[in-house]
Amino acid sequence: MGATTTAPPPPAPPVPAPPRRAGRGRAGRFGRLDARVSPYLYIAPFFLLFLVTGLFPLGYTGWVAMHDWDQIMGKGEFVGMANYVDVLTGRGFWRALANTVSIFLLSSVPQILAALAIAALLDRNLRAKTVWRMGVLLPYVVAPVAVALIFSNLFADRFGLVNALLQTVGLDPVRWHSDRLASHVAIATMVNFRWTGYNALILLAAMQAVPRDLYEQAAIDGANAWRQFWSVTVPMLRPTIIFVIITSTIGGLQIFDEPKMYDQFGRGGADQQWQTLTIYLYELGWTRADFGMASAVAVLLFLLIVVFGIVNFLLTRRIAHDEGRRT
């Protein structure tokens, strides 16, 4: 018998390629572009608003500060740094700066200490703690003008309630509006009344983020409540405390409402004994109609705030670096 040969199977028909969708490459490029551009579009409204309401006024103020600007006639001649020289060589700027720093120290230091103590109390297991937490924020809700009017009467020289209480314990009345240091204490008391509760809630939020295991370990090691506060709570709150200090500093440099409303004239006292930088700026711009010098004071105030912001950045980075090395 002869050999039987088997014919090879016929080749399989080619599988047709899926139809190419029109515009697929274009859609892919659009998707990649959307992924790259969309985040910038989302944050663009903020920066545009900041450009209009922040950077442009700041740049325009710096431009006005180098001109002899008149309120009625408008743009004047270019004077360069003459306005800055007049401000820095004048007595009014340094007196206002000293008043501002004095009021800031008398307000911020007790304010932060009191806020830290209040936050520690609110962090404990109190009954109706929500009511207490809302209560410490009530002074912040009150209008600054109302607070200033009330406290200016409380600290009145002749008929004030504070002097009446001092006389009941045998002390002489204090001239709260005439004496420079006494007026600073009165204005700082207004600031503390409004902002202590607000800062206390910020510190309280940071306290509640502290792990409770640390307190349990400290209690096992024999640490009492006071030792736990200084050895556990305060070190964990250092970044928040720095934030509160810097925001209080910036607010203290910009203080205006309380000293402005402390008397009926709003000029910082008869001898400018409590005139702050912002009141001095206001007087230059609207009373003396010297927009050039007022703008120079505004720029100098901005530079002071920038300095404190840089200090805040350096301190925060140093703390983060030290904590990273410990871990």
Side-chain angles (χ1 to χ4, degrees):
M1 296 179 59
T4 304
T5 59
T6 304
V15 179
R20 185 176 182 179
R21 295 181 181 179
R24 184 177 180 181
R26 183 172 53 191
R29 289 193 299 270
F30 178 77
R32 291 191 297 270
L33 182 63
D34 178 67
R36 294 180 180 178
V37 176
S38 294
Y40 298 99
L41 294 179
Y42 295 149
I43 63 175
F46 166 77
F47 287 99
L48 291 176
L49 185 63
F50 178 72
L51 177 64
V52 174
T53 61
L55 291 181
F56 173 74
L58 180 62
Y60 188 73
T61 301
W63 185 73
V64 173
M66 293 186 293
H67 290 76
D68 185 12
W69 199 274
D70 186 81
Q71 185 178 9
I72 305 299
M73 300 303 295
K75 184 174 72 171
E77 61 177 348
F78 179 80
V79 295
M81 304 297 291
N83 287 325
Y84 294 97
V85 174
D86 293 340
V87 169
L88 294 176
T89 56
R91 180 171 176 267
F93 174 81
W94 298 107
R95 178 180 55 201
L97 178 60
N99 293 337
T100 303
V101 174
S102 175
I103 295 173
F104 153 69
L105 292 176
L106 291 172
S107 60
S108 294
V109 175
Q111 177 188 140
I112 294 172
L113 294 177
L116 191 61
I118 293 173
L121 293 175
L122 294 177
D123 193 40
R124 302 177 68 88
N125 293 325
L126 299 176
R127 292 184 178 180
K129 56 184 178 182
T130 303
V131 176
W132 292 107
R133 293 172 183 176
M134 294 177 60
V136 297
L137 195 61
L138 288 178
Y140 177 74
V141 180
V142 181
V145 175
V147 174
L149 291 176
I150 293 172
F151 275 82
S152 62
N153 287 282
L154 290 176
F155 289 97
D157 292 345
R158 297 181 60 186
F159 306 106
L161 179 61
V162 177
N163 276 339
L165 295 176
L166 292 176
Q167 290 177 351
T168 58
V169 296
L171 298 177
D172 296 331
V174 179
R175 302 177 64 185
W176 296 105
H177 285 73
S178 302
D179 184 73
R180 184 181 185 184
L181 180 59
S183 63
H184 294 181
V185 172
I187 295 172
T189 304
M190 299 186 223
V191 178
N192 292 334
F193 174 77
R194 288 196 65 233
W195 290 98
T196 300
Y198 176 83
N199 290 326
L201 291 183
I202 294 178
L203 294 172
L204 175 62
M207 285 183 183
Q208 292 181 338
V210 177
R212 299 299 166 179
D213 297 341
L214 298 178
Y215 295 104
E216 295 177 358
Q217 295 174 5
I220 293 174
D221 293 338
N224 55 19
W226 182 257
R227 184 66 178 176
Q228 292 178 21
F229 177 76
W230 285 109
S231 299
V232 178
T233 305
V234 173
M236 297 295 292
L237 294 182
R238 274 184 292 185
T240 306
I241 292 175
I242 291 176
F243 170 78
V244 172
I245 290 174
I246 298 303
T247 53
S248 300
T249 303
I250 294 174
L253 292 175
Q254 296 178 337
I255 185 172
F256 180 79
D257 295 333
E258 290 84 358
K260 180 70 175 178
M261 299 297 298
Y262 188 54
D263 66 351
Q264 58 181 338
F265 302 105
R267 299 186 59 186
D271 296 327
Q272 286 75 45
Q273 60 266 29
W274 70 80
Q275 185 184 70
T276 59
L277 281 174
T278 51
I279 296 180
Y280 179 60
L281 187 156
Y282 181 87
E283 181 181 355
L284 288 175
W286 297 104
T287 304
R288 303 183 189 179
D290 194 339
F291 282 4
M293 288 187 63
S295 299
V297 174
V299 173
L300 292 174
L301 179 58
F302 169 76
L303 293 178
L304 287 174
I305 295 174
V306 169
V307 169
F308 282 103
I310 294 174
V311 171
N312 179 26
F313 172 75
L314 295 177
L315 289 176
T316 304
R317 188 175 64 175
R318 177 66 180 272
I319 291 175
H321 178 69
D322 293 342
E323 291 181 352
R325 292 179 59 183
R326 285 196 297 268
T327 56

